[in-house]
Amino acid sequence: MAIIVKDLVFTIHTQNSTYQMKVDNQNTLLHTYYGARSDETDFSYLIGFQDHGFCGNIPGTERERVYSLDYLLQEYSTAGNGDYRASALRAELGSGTCDCRLVYDSYQIREGKYSLDGLPAMFDSKESGAQTLEIVLKDAEEAFYVHLLYGVFEEQDIITRTVRLENRMDHAAVISRVMSLGIDFPTNDFELIHFYGKHMGERQAERSPMVHGSIDLRSTRGASSHQQNPFVILAEKMASERQGLCYGFSLLYSGGFHLQAEVDSFDQTRLVLGLDDEDFCWSLNPGESFAAPEAVMCCSRDGFSALSHAFHRAVMEHVIRSPWKKKRRPVLVNSWEAVYLDFNKEKILAIAKEAAEAGLDMLVLDDGWFGKRDSDACSLGDWFVNEEKVGGSLAQLSEEIHKMGLSFGLWVEPEMVSEDSELYRQHPQWAMTVPGRQPIRGREQLVLDMTRDDVIEYLYDRLSSIIDGAQIEYIKWDMNRSLAAGHSRLLPRERQGEVRHQFVLGVYRLLEKLISRYPDLLIEGCCGGGGRYDMGMLYYCPQIWCSDNTDAVERLRIQYGTSFAYPMSTISAHVSACPNHENGRVTPFKTRGICAMQGTFGYELDLSKLSKAEKQQVKEQTEFYKKHFALFQYGTYYRLNSPFENRDYTAWQYLDSEKKEAIVSVVFTDLRANPKTDILLLRGLKPGSRYRVWMDREEQGVYTAAALMQAGMRLPIPKENYDAYQFYLKEEV
Ligand code: DGJ
């Protein structure tokens, strides 16, 4: 049994972890333990009660002065009752002051995992045997209820969390902060790993000590953002890839988020994660409820690899719904870096012809096919085919491409509008601008008010008519700017604080309508590359364009960071031209191929302009990827070292579930005179087995698993700058 309740001590066991809460004699729900699997001991014996000074005492405990919410470990803290740490909830319940104090009300255990209306959430399957624990808290005075929901995936070591607020009062509650997850630890033995970045440089892993005070990571951009990812790891100081206690926390949400990791004066650690509260304000009327996005947690005592494997499995099995998750993804060529907005039918067909000859599966027509989009300053919103540019209808173009043996994909950016567009001229009020103010523009475009039903309907009609009008197997769903002021003309002044969240709910509504109508459509998420790379998007799209930076060497860091939370099959990666368009670096064609195979593989260059030798490499890379797609897409993934720590090379490994085959990729990132030989320790091989090893198809010999894992594999000396190698290992039978 995963959930055990005894004397109001709630213990949740997963295969390798235990999580515990307890209702104390003041009716407060305390958090007592989260860590490696233990038993049902009531861990509240660890809490010390003493008068700490300047710690307010709740009514009834004033005389002893030892009961203060300011230092007790709590399950869901609230602002305004003497706890000065980062709060999970800030609610004004009628007095004008945020002073909600939550006490225990009731609980329920249910078979199956809860779902959330209009929001992405992990789902269960028959085999997963997930359970739900719901603990209901209530304000000490008012009929305001907080339902804490826990989804328990025992086998996967995953616990999900969210809250549902319910107003049973006769007046409105005003919520200005609602976190999906709050967790307190009695110690401060941690470091924080987070994934920061920028456009063209997403998810850079940074490990830093915690500080007394608070580390704030957030996105206020209306998207989960390039700048911070809604995933962090809290790790014991000695934790590494192979060992140590660590926790992963992820928000399954694609809009702004806020994470605070705080160490208090008593060396205790608190972490809260949820909706961005910078300008969030939600009026909850009598009878209404509000569901926060879902957070996902995992605890590993075996280091980061095990943590990533748990997240990868959870996302593959219980987040991604698309039937594509189990199919080989098409090897595609995308037109963006090949021709940008400057194309005609001949150019596209020339690329398609080369793609077909090289054995690729799909051509994706990126930006530029609609309205009069010859520049990026116009036409967003005008989702009508520019037949003059495309040389006929989209149906004709797609048919010609299909005749070559390729499938066809198309780029869209539904959430945006250009002022120079028919749509804007007809419906200026559909743009998210504040009346009387000049809007903030990004890439010269405005954001559509996705909180409006008429906008969603328009986009749904346009997109379905495009998809119905031609044979389209794939859509790349882009978003090329951040929200500035979130304003909707349909909402009154006092409800504008809802807009950013309502915007995301609108995006989800539109995506849901489209995937219900086109369940087999492969949707690739994108936001100027990886500006919306989160588990929320993966609920709708099985893969995401990882970054607008296609340089193989910079991608090593971006893909490394992405791999901590997200399965490799979700990482869309392409071989592009050199000198690279983003940073001017020149890398060998082979290296670019190996780096792009770290994800869902494709090309993004004018194939017709390649040399004969390069065309041959395209053929060979495509063939190799297709042959080993199961390893690349679903193999167990190991980061063999870190591009942030090793200047000389970056290496990674895939292993199939039966440990019969592995691929190891190595990219050299520096050259040295009089070089030394590097040795790489492999991971996860079957003890007692022997593996035949090939380097770039050249046989190297047969080695035991123990030798390869304990002593290691010898790496070649790089022959040129950014040289790269791929090793294939097969178990000897
Ligand atoms: C940003 C994307 O990330 C690129 O791949 C490309 O689709 C452009 N937008 C098109 O405008």
Side-chain angles (χ1 to χ4, degrees):
M1 276 235 298
I3 304 171
I4 295 162
V5 184
K6 209 174 144 214
D7 300 332
L8 293 186
V9 174
F10 299 86
T11 308
I12 299 173
H13 291 303
T14 68
Q15 205 171 175
N16 296 298
S17 72
T18 296
Y19 186 94
Q20 195 189 72
M21 303 155 267
K22 176 193 179 157
V23 179
D24 72 2
N25 57 8
Q26 299 301 324
N27 256 350
T28 306
L29 184 63
L30 300 178
H31 176 79
T32 53
Y33 181 72
Y34 187 29
R37 180 154 177 150
S38 185
D39 51 30
E40 289 97 65
T41 302
D42 172 357
F43 292 103
S44 62
Y45 72 84
L46 294 169
I47 300 171
F49 287 91
Q50 46 181 305
D51 180 359
H52 282 299
F54 277 80
C55 291
N57 309 120
I58 64 159
T61 66
E62 300 89 341
R63 297 207 56 171
E64 297 81 21
R65 299 189 190 177
V66 297
Y67 188 96
S68 175
L69 298 181
D70 200 24
Y71 66 79
L72 284 175
L73 306 183
Q74 291 165 73
E75 187 59 19
Y76 200 68
S77 59
T78 56
N81 57 56
D83 180 352
Y84 300 93
R85 294 169 290 177
S87 57
L89 180 72
R90 194 158 52 221
E92 186 272 299
L93 304 181
S95 67
T97 300
C98 296
D99 55 0
C100 168
R101 158 152 155 71
L102 295 175
V103 291
Y104 172 75
D105 180 77
S106 57
Y107 82 92
Q108 224 188 52
I109 296 173
R110 294 189 290 271
E111 288 312 310
K113 158 74 174 35
Y114 65 83
S115 56
L116 297 173
D117 234 15
L119 276 167
M122 280 183 69
F123 54 86
D124 58 3
S125 56
K126 271 198 203 118
E127 313 79 62
S128 71
Q131 284 186 300
T132 296
L133 168 66
E134 178 166 354
I135 301 181
V136 185
L137 307 178
K138 178 192 169 297
D139 178 64
E141 311 294 336
E142 298 281 354
F144 178 77
Y145 291 81
V146 174
H147 301 249
L148 304 182
L149 289 161
Y150 300 81
V152 185
F153 292 83
E154 188 176 1
E155 292 253 309
Q156 283 85 352
D157 278 326
I158 293 282
I159 301 174
T160 68
R161 291 184 58 181
T162 190
V163 297
R164 190 167 65 79
L165 308 177
E166 186 193 3
N167 182 0
R168 290 196 220 154
M169 307 183 293
D170 59 5
H171 54 271
V174 181
I175 315 300
S176 48
R177 177 180 178 107
V178 50
M179 294 292 156
S180 304
L181 168 158
I183 187 159
D184 284 356
F185 294 92
T187 58
N188 172 30
D189 297 330
F190 301 117
E191 290 178 333
L192 187 73
I193 302 174
H194 73 118
F195 302 89
Y196 74 97
K198 59 182 177 183
H199 178 223
M200 298 196 189
E202 299 86 338
R203 290 170 295 288
Q204 306 289 303
E206 184 168 54
R207 183 170 184 161
S208 45
M210 298 283 286
V211 294
H212 283 91
S214 178
I215 298 178
D216 270 69
L217 307 172
R218 72 193 319 167
S219 157
T220 56
R221 296 170 175 267
S224 45
S225 89
H226 303 84
Q227 286 70 14
Q228 296 289 348
N229 194 261
F231 173 74
V232 295
I233 297 173
L234 205 55
E236 243 179 8
K237 288 178 183 144
M238 47 72 73
S240 66
E241 283 291 346
R242 291 160 177 264
Q243 59 176 347
L245 187 68
C246 53
Y247 303 84
F249 301 97
S250 173
L251 192 67
L252 232 137
Y253 186 64
S254 312
F257 71 92
H258 191 183
L259 177 134
Q260 277 181 284
E262 180 172 0
V263 179
D264 68 17
S265 328
F266 309 108
D267 294 335
Q268 308 182 107
T269 304
R270 170 171 288 179
L271 190 136
V272 294
L273 171 62
L275 279 178
D276 175 39
D277 53 339
E278 170 128 314
D279 59 4
F280 175 80
C281 186
W282 197 283
S283 273
L284 200 61
N285 291 319
E288 285 181 354
S289 54
F290 174 90
E294 178 164 287
V296 180
M297 333 187 276
C298 177
C299 165
S300 151
R301 56 178 182 178
D302 297 321
F304 308 138
S305 297
L307 188 76
S308 292
H309 295 161
F311 272 101
H312 290 186
R313 266 197 315 273
V315 173
M316 286 306 282
E317 300 300 327
H318 303 287
V319 176
I320 300 177
R321 295 175 295 172
S322 166
W324 278 99
K325 75 174 163 186
K326 297 274 166 173
K327 290 193 214 162
R328 181 174 70 71
R329 309 295 165 79
V331 177
L332 58 83
V333 57
N334 176 297
S335 64
W336 183 243
E337 286 198 21
V339 289
Y340 295 97
L341 299 168
D342 178 20
F343 60 84
N344 54 28
K345 189 175 183 175
E346 286 63 49
K347 280 194 188 176
I348 296 299
L349 290 181
I351 297 172
K353 183 172 161 279
E354 297 292 343
E357 278 173 18
L360 274 67
D361 303 303
M362 177 183 277
L363 179 128
V364 175
L365 183 56
D366 207 282
D367 197 351
W369 56 268
F370 55 93
K372 49 183 182 62
R373 182 88 166 168
D374 290 325
S375 112
D376 63 9
C378 70
S379 298
L380 292 170
D382 293 346
W383 302 111
F384 296 90
V385 184
N386 181 342
E387 296 201 351
E388 208 182 307
K389 186 167 180 179
V390 168
S393 70
L394 209 55
Q396 285 164 341
L397 179 68
S398 132
E399 198 185 323
E400 290 191 47
I401 286 170
H402 277 90
K403 274 194 190 139
M404 295 179 184
L406 299 175
S407 52
F408 180 62
L410 199 64
W411 176 96
V412 291
E413 191 179 359
E415 299 145 69
M416 297 293 152
V417 63
S418 309
E419 284 157 281
D420 182 6
S421 70
E422 290 311 314
L423 184 70
Y424 186 77
R425 283 185 274 277
Q426 279 167 29
H427 299 286
Q429 73 288 4
W430 283 9
M432 220 184 232
T433 53
V434 186
R437 276 191 192 269
Q438 277 297 312
I440 299 294
R441 299 175 177 88
R443 207 191 193 194
E444 290 184 59
Q445 63 200 47
L446 299 177
V447 182
L448 279 176
D449 181 355
M450 300 293 286
T451 74
R452 298 175 64 123
D453 288 339
D454 46 7
V455 170
I456 302 290
E457 276 316 307
Y458 167 79
L459 291 172
Y460 177 66
D461 281 357
R462 274 294 81 229
L463 294 176
S464 10
S465 125
I466 296 288
I467 297 168
D468 291 340
Q471 205 180 330
I472 296 174
E473 283 89 5
Y474 157 114
I475 288 284
K476 176 174 170 190
W477 185 294
D478 206 348
M479 178 202 193
N480 281 304
R481 61 159 293 181
S482 307
L483 269 60
H487 186 90
S488 172
R489 288 168 195 248
L490 291 188
L491 288 174
R493 181 181 175 191
E494 62 281 6
R495 288 188 56 199
Q496 294 297 334
E498 295 176 17
V499 167
R500 283 159 186 277
H501 181 50
Q502 295 276 19
F503 174 87
V504 180
L505 296 180
V507 175
Y508 288 154
R509 218 163 49 241
L510 178 57
L511 276 161
E512 190 67 46
K513 271 163 90 79
L514 283 164
I515 62 168
S516 314
R517 179 157 171 177
Y518 307 103
D520 294 325
L521 186 68
L522 172 56
I523 303 180
E524 173 162 306
C526 177
C527 173
R532 197 158 56 177
Y533 209 123
D534 53 71
M535 292 184 190
M537 262 347 245
L538 292 173
Y539 190 66
Y540 305 93
C541 323
Q543 62 192 54
I544 296 177
W545 179 229
C546 189
S547 178
D548 270 353
N549 187 339
T550 59
D551 168 52
V553 177
E554 286 208 72
R555 272 285 185 125
L556 290 174
R557 289 180 170 211
I558 298 170
Q559 290 167 184
Y560 169 85
T562 308
S563 77
F564 277 85
Y566 306 102
M568 304 320 285
S569 66
T570 68
I571 297 178
S572 177
H574 299 166
V575 173
S576 63
C578 272
N580 178 267
H581 292 191
E582 286 78 45
N583 65 9
R585 194 195 318 258
V586 176
T587 50
F589 202 88
K590 177 182 167 200
T591 303
R592 284 175 262 160
I594 288 176
C595 291
M597 284 183 213
Q598 204 176 8
T600 287
F601 184 63
Y603 292 84
E604 180 141 348
L605 39 68
D606 190 342
L607 292 170
S608 65
K609 295 204 171 124
L610 296 182
S611 67
K612 219 172 150 196
E614 286 170 331
K615 284 183 188 172
Q616 182 56 29
Q617 291 200 63
V618 175
K619 255 189 202 158
E620 287 170 10
Q621 290 172 346
T622 303
E623 196 182 286
F624 188 76
Y625 182 80
K626 283 185 175 181
K627 184 166 169 206
H628 298 292
F629 81 92
L631 264 177
F632 288 123
Q633 290 185 196
Y634 319 120
T636 307
Y637 182 78
Y638 293 94
R639 293 171 291 269
L640 297 182
N641 70 356
S642 159
F644 291 92
E645 286 163 9
N646 189 318
R647 211 180 94 183
D648 294 335
Y649 67 91
T650 301
W652 60 96
Q653 178 192 331
Y654 304 87
L655 183 69
D656 78 311
S657 57
E658 291 175 29
K659 302 173 186 254
K660 288 189 166 146
E661 283 183 301
I663 288 177
V664 176
S665 305
V666 183
V667 177
F668 289 93
T669 43
D670 208 353
L671 289 176
R672 287 173 195 272
N674 193 9
K676 72 178 167 69
T677 303
D678 278 307
I679 287 173
L680 194 59
L681 300 184
L682 303 194
R683 305 277 316 270
L685 302 176
K686 203 190 289 172
S689 285
R690 288 150 53 82
Y691 292 85
R692 189 171 296 276
V693 179
W694 287 262
M695 182 178 85
D696 293 343
R697 298 160 189 76
E698 228 175 77
E699 199 177 317
Q700 306 289 296
V702 177
Y703 305 90
T704 64
L708 292 167
M709 292 196 294
Q710 314 306 340
M713 191 172 83
R714 189 162 57 79
L715 294 184
I717 303 291
K719 295 196 193 70
E720 58 177 329
N721 213 4
Y722 308 119
D723 208 358
Y725 296 87
Q726 222 156 17
F727 297 84
Y728 173 68
L729 282 78
K730 196 164 173 51
E731 189 192 9
E732 287 279 281
V733 275

